[in-house]
Amino acid sequence: MAKIIVVTSGKGGVGKTTSSAAIGTGIAMRGFKTVIIDFDIGLRNLDLIMGCERRVVYDFVNVINGEANLKQAMIKDKRIDTLFILPASQTRDKDALSKEGVERILNELAQEFDYIICDSPAGIESGAMMALYFADEAVVVTNPEVSSVRDSDRILGMLSSKSRRAEQGLPGIKEHLLLTRYNPERVLKGEMLSVEDVGEILAIKLLGVIPESQAVLNASNSGTPVILDEDSDAGQAYLDTVARLLGEEVPFRFLNVEKKGLLKRIFGG
Amino acid sequence: MSDHSFELKGSLFPLSVLYCQDLSAAAVKTQLQQKLAQAPAFFYRAPVVINVESVTQAPDFEAIAEVFKELELVLVGVCGASAELKKVAQAAGLAALQLSKSKTPAKETKEIEAKTEAATAAPVMETKVVEQNIRSGQQIYAKGADLVIRGTVGAGAEVIADGNIHIYGTLRGKAIAGAAGDNQKRVFCHKLEAELISIAGSYWLSDSLQGEYWGKSACIGLQDDKLVLADLL
């Protein structure tokens, strides 16, 4: 039975799509058959991050409306053969999704895939609700600043009250905290909340900490999930995150300020 | 145009009703003296009505009126009187009041029913227990009940109860106790970082809560219409 994981945050621009792409790719790299669904109807982004924007013919809404079948709409990744993307429609809006339609497609995908990653849109409206409704697990992407933490708290409330598991009285959605854009130097200066601060406020298990990194922007611009950039700190942090999501014990890295060596000081870090 | 300088209107007032089996002046005096000794100030010049439902023989109302005068009570009249007794009472200068139908007092009652006694016998309050964190945007209301939260109340969350509120985690959101107007209710929390605390309509914002108890355990109650913070233990 497939595991449905929603990547959500409430707030926009915190790294949901980047994280969805990285986590989905990371799981697929482990040999699990994985599909990433873009729920951000009308603001299609996942295909850009995954570098498959030119191969989008049919989309999620077409499949829901019966205008295309899943095989036609899904895009197979060129780098990892167990990875698929189901892109969002750029021309429709979020009301194009219906609970019944989404359920039917998730059920169909569940026959074939091990992991279904739902990349949620920002906000708490129907699009975001649709993305989280059927989830078994949730990765709550949060930046170390107060407004993002507040919105994550809001989404956590939704997860525990508005999801299928909550409505049917099943065991709750397993919640994970993914802290992105973490900058230990700024935390030390008091400009950012620390891992401990965020953890205390949200009170859920920490899945990973992704350092603020130039590699993320480079990866996005080149259409390569940052997890494939294994030399970068962000790539390594996502690899650790995926390992933890799959149940492995991995120590946290990139939490403290790195001491710069003499060479680094001279040539720049 | 009607004249507003003189009006006669009906109105309802609480009156103490005396139930006494033996309505001889001596017995009434002894019983009343005992009762008054318990709370002399409370009954000073209190209007009293005598229930005469269970009386067969007409008591000496004039003698009883004397006792009342002596004890500084105001005897207003009688209630539950038969047609015959009514006449006797009215002849003695007392009002004959109509008894509301619903209430038939127990025969053995020998005490003045004080209003305060009824109020202190408070009904048992229900308790609503929530075993999880209350997240931003969530609202929990315990109607006619106390509220116990075994978790943290996040910023932007609201917990409301007609009774007391107990929070075993951190209170970062809003807590509204005594929502139905009971100013005796309180808020107890393990760690105080609240946005707002309100008891029976009196409220404090976060700014006023900063200080000695901020970030610590506390109990917040109302005293003379002012919120008062105190140690939890």
Side-chain angles (χ1 to χ4, degrees):
Chain A
M1 188 63 192
K3 206 171 250 181
I4 303 174
I5 302 174
V6 61
V7 179
T8 186
S9 73
K11 193 168 161 57
V14 294
K16 282 183 298 295
T17 301
T18 300
S19 298
S20 297
I23 290 170
T25 306
I27 293 173
M29 280 159 70
R30 299 289 193 103
F32 294 105
K33 209 164 174 202
T34 308
V35 57
I36 313 173
I37 307 176
D38 191 350
F39 272 80
D40 204 347
I41 313 297
L43 293 169
R44 199 178 79 198
N45 278 170
L46 180 70
D47 52 321
L48 288 171
I49 307 285
M50 294 299 297
C52 62
E53 70 275 14
R54 293 193 192 146
R55 296 164 63 204
V56 175
V57 182
Y58 293 107
D59 58 55
F60 193 17
V61 175
N62 290 141
V63 182
I64 285 182
N65 292 343
E67 295 149 10
N69 63 36
L70 268 175
K71 287 239 155 23
Q72 290 171 299
M74 278 197 297
I75 303 168
K76 190 170 188 288
D77 189 80
K78 282 191 169 165
R79 296 156 291 221
I80 298 143
D81 57 8
T82 50
L83 181 61
F84 291 79
I85 289 106
L86 184 54
S89 169
Q90 180 70 331
T91 52
R92 307 295 289 272
D93 62 42
K94 291 178 178 71
D95 299 327
L97 297 179
S98 66
K99 212 178 254 183
E100 297 71 33
V102 171
E103 183 172 28
R104 184 165 52 80
I105 287 168
L106 288 177
N107 284 341
E108 205 175 315
L109 289 170
Q111 308 288 323
E112 200 184 329
F113 288 90
D114 301 311
Y115 282 91
I116 301 170
I117 313 291
C118 303
D119 179 22
S120 170
I124 52 171
E125 287 79 30
S126 67
M129 290 301 108
M130 218 58 89
L132 67 77
Y133 187 76
F134 297 100
D136 300 308
E137 296 190 24
V139 174
V140 178
V141 183
T142 307
N143 286 171
E145 50 97 16
V146 285
S147 61
S148 175
V149 172
R150 169 79 59 94
D151 292 359
S152 294
D153 198 42
R154 183 92 166 98
I155 275 293
L156 283 164
M158 300 276 188
L159 287 168
S160 62
S161 61
K162 297 273 163 63
S163 62
R164 180 180 62 103
R165 283 174 169 268
E167 282 180 6
Q168 297 181 358
L170 301 166
I173 293 177
K174 203 169 163 193
E175 300 154 341
H176 308 277
L177 173 63
L178 180 62
L179 211 52
T180 55
R181 298 227 172 109
Y182 195 71
N183 186 333
E185 261 173 60
R186 297 188 65 185
V187 171
L188 214 60
K189 284 190 211 156
E191 296 171 354
M192 250 184 200
L193 295 174
S194 69
V195 178
E196 292 77 21
D197 291 340
V198 180
E200 201 208 315
I201 296 171
L202 293 180
I204 56 171
K205 205 163 185 305
L206 185 66
L207 177 71
V209 179
I210 312 300
E212 193 169 43
S213 166
Q214 189 57 41
V216 174
L217 192 61
N218 290 343
S220 297
N221 288 336
S222 66
T224 318
V226 70
I227 199 167
L228 294 173
D229 184 359
E230 289 181 30
D231 296 330
S232 71
D233 47 0
Q236 289 174 23
Y238 272 118
L239 283 170
D240 290 356
T241 301
V242 168
R244 288 189 205 103
L245 195 58
L246 297 173
E248 294 166 26
E249 291 262 346
V250 184
F252 286 92
R253 296 190 275 174
F254 314 110
L255 295 186
N256 299 312
V257 180
E258 226 179 296
K259 288 200 186 82
K260 283 192 178 171
L262 185 62
L263 286 175
K264 253 192 172 172
R265 270 179 217 234
I266 295 167
F267 298 109
Chain B
M1 266 171 73
S2 63
D3 184 6
H4 287 285
S5 65
F6 178 82
E7 280 180 294
L8 196 54
K9 282 183 168 178
S11 195
L12 294 167
F13 298 97
L15 292 174
S16 298
V17 180
L18 174 72
Y19 297 94
C20 196
Q21 289 227 297
D22 183 358
L23 275 177
S24 66
V28 170
K29 188 174 179 180
T30 332
Q31 299 273 5
L32 275 178
Q33 270 174 334
Q34 277 176 16
K35 190 71 203 172
L36 260 54
Q38 291 169 16
F42 184 80
F43 290 109
Y44 179 73
R45 295 255 186 259
V48 178
V49 174
I50 304 174
N51 186 302
V52 289
E53 268 181 307
S54 52
V55 174
T56 43
Q57 248 190 336
D60 184 351
F61 286 123
E62 266 150 34
I64 294 173
E66 276 304 310
V67 171
F68 272 72
K69 214 174 191 178
E70 198 182 319
L71 297 173
E72 301 199 280
L73 292 166
V74 179
L75 181 56
V76 178
V78 295
C79 64
S82 62
E84 198 184 325
L85 266 178
K86 242 183 213 174
K87 276 181 197 162
V88 182
Q90 281 167 342
L94 297 176
L97 301 167
Q98 198 129 22
L99 199 60
S100 58
K101 285 171 200 161
S102 58
K103 208 175 172 194
T104 40
K107 297 234 164 155
E108 57 268 36
T109 314
K110 286 187 178 178
E111 287 178 346
I112 290 175
E113 263 200 65
K115 220 176 103 242
T116 44
E117 283 182 341
T120 46
V124 178
M125 267 238 171
E126 296 281 313
T127 304
K128 180 172 182 168
V129 183
V130 181
E131 312 254 0
Q132 62 175 40
N133 294 323
I134 313 301
R135 303 288 185 179
S136 178
Q138 287 185 307
Q139 197 181 50
I140 306 281
Y141 176 37
K143 191 171 166 32
D146 280 358
L147 180 58
V148 174
I149 310 280
R150 282 188 64 199
T152 285
V153 177
E158 278 179 32
V159 287
I160 306 166
D162 290 341
N164 300 298
I165 299 178
H166 306 258
I167 298 156
Y168 289 94
T170 306
L171 169 58
R172 295 196 184 92
K174 298 180 182 174
I176 296 152
D182 186 347
N183 57 16
Q184 296 303 305
K185 300 305 177 201
R186 290 193 278 177
V187 174
F188 306 83
C189 64
H190 190 66
K191 195 172 173 191
L192 176 68
E193 291 177 11
E195 287 174 346
L196 176 145
I197 288 186
S198 163
I199 291 165
S202 302
Y203 68 89
W204 269 0
L205 287 173
S206 166
D207 288 348
S208 326
L209 295 164
Q210 315 263 349
E212 198 190 336
Y213 290 98
W214 192 252
K216 300 199 183 89
S217 65
C219 143
I220 303 101
L222 202 58
Q223 240 172 45
D224 304 327
D225 288 338
K226 275 191 187 149
L227 290 187
V228 180
L229 288 162
D231 288 319
L232 197 55
L233 288 172

